[in-house]
Amino acid sequence: MSRKSWDEYFLDITVVVGERGTCDRGKSGSVIVIDKRIVATGYVGSAPGMPHCDEVGHLMRKVIDEDGHESMHCVRTIHAEENAILQAAKYGISVKGGTLYCKMTPCFRCAQMISQVGIVRVVAMKRYHADALTREIFQGKGIILEVKDDTVEQYEKQ
């Protein structure tokens, strides 16, 4: 029996972290690692003290995707990547030079945060359907993006 690679190991942990998510449309987890040690985790959920999707329903807003397609997205929750970055900041933990593991290529907003805090590598299980701007940001900032399965993550859209 062979051991899992570090990437496989940390991606598996993102799945468990994501089980805490409170929006069934985008349950996912994120793990930030420095020197093969987890320094922060995050999952999709509302800010502390605010209602969660699984309690009061989704807070839907119309979004126009990169290809011009209109869809409805839930905006009640903080994304897993954002939550991991915010948890590190809350406890004074630098993530500079770290690797972020996640379910799918981060969205544009998360990509901006990732580039701002000095994360140098992102490992995603699958692609996000609207990841062109994310890829552009990462390429421009020299952030390594590794997507293990180049298929697009399927999740409930409205």
Side-chain angles (χ1 to χ4, degrees), residues 53-97:
C53 293
D54 59 7
E55 298 167 343
V56 298
H58 300 289
L59 180 59
M60 304 302 289
R61 295 290 183 263
K62 186 187 309 183
V63 174
I64 301 174
D65 293 331
E66 295 166 355
D67 62 3
H69 177 260
E70 289 185 7
S71 60
M72 298 298 288
H73 288 250
C74 180
V75 296
R76 184 176 303 285
T77 58
I78 301 168
H79 292 180
E81 300 88 345
E82 292 173 306
N83 259 329
I85 291 167
L86 291 167
Q87 286 299 313
K90 182 177 181 177
Y91 295 104
I93 300 167
S94 174
V95 296
K96 185 175 182 180

Side-chain angles (χ1 to χ4, degrees), residues 11-20:
L11 285 171
D12 284 352
I13 292 170
T14 67
V15 173
V16 175
V17 171
E19 291 173 3
R20 289 270 313 146

Side-chain angles (χ1 to χ4, degrees), residues 28-137:
S28 64
S30 183
V31 175
I32 300 175
V33 173
I34 297 176
D35 295 329
K36 299 179 185 157
R37 300 290 176 253
I38 296 171
V39 297
T41 65
Y43 54 85
V44 175
S46 297
M50 301 299 293
H52 294 278
C53 293
D54 59 7
E55 298 167 343
V56 298
H58 300 289
L59 180 59
M60 304 302 289
R61 295 290 183 263
K62 186 187 309 183
V63 174
I64 301 174
D65 293 331
E66 295 166 355
D67 62 3
H69 177 260
E70 289 185 7
S71 60
M72 298 298 288
H73 288 250
C74 180
V75 296
R76 184 176 303 285
T77 58
I78 301 168
H79 292 180
E81 300 88 345
E82 292 173 306
N83 259 329
I85 291 167
L86 291 167
Q87 286 299 313
K90 182 177 181 177
Y91 295 104
I93 300 167
S94 174
V95 296
K96 185 175 182 180
T99 297
L100 183 140
Y101 292 88
C102 52
K103 184 176 183 178
M104 60 184 134
T105 311
C107 72
F108 176 68
R109 183 177 72 205
C110 289
Q112 290 175 307
M113 292 181 76
I114 289 164
S115 70
Q116 178 66 20
V117 298
I119 289 171
V120 297
R121 182 172 174 249
V122 174
V123 180
M125 291 180 201
K126 291 187 177 182
R127 289 192 53 215
Y128 174 54
H129 73 275
D131 67 3
L133 288 174
T134 293
R135 289 172 175 270
E136 189 176 304
I137 288 172

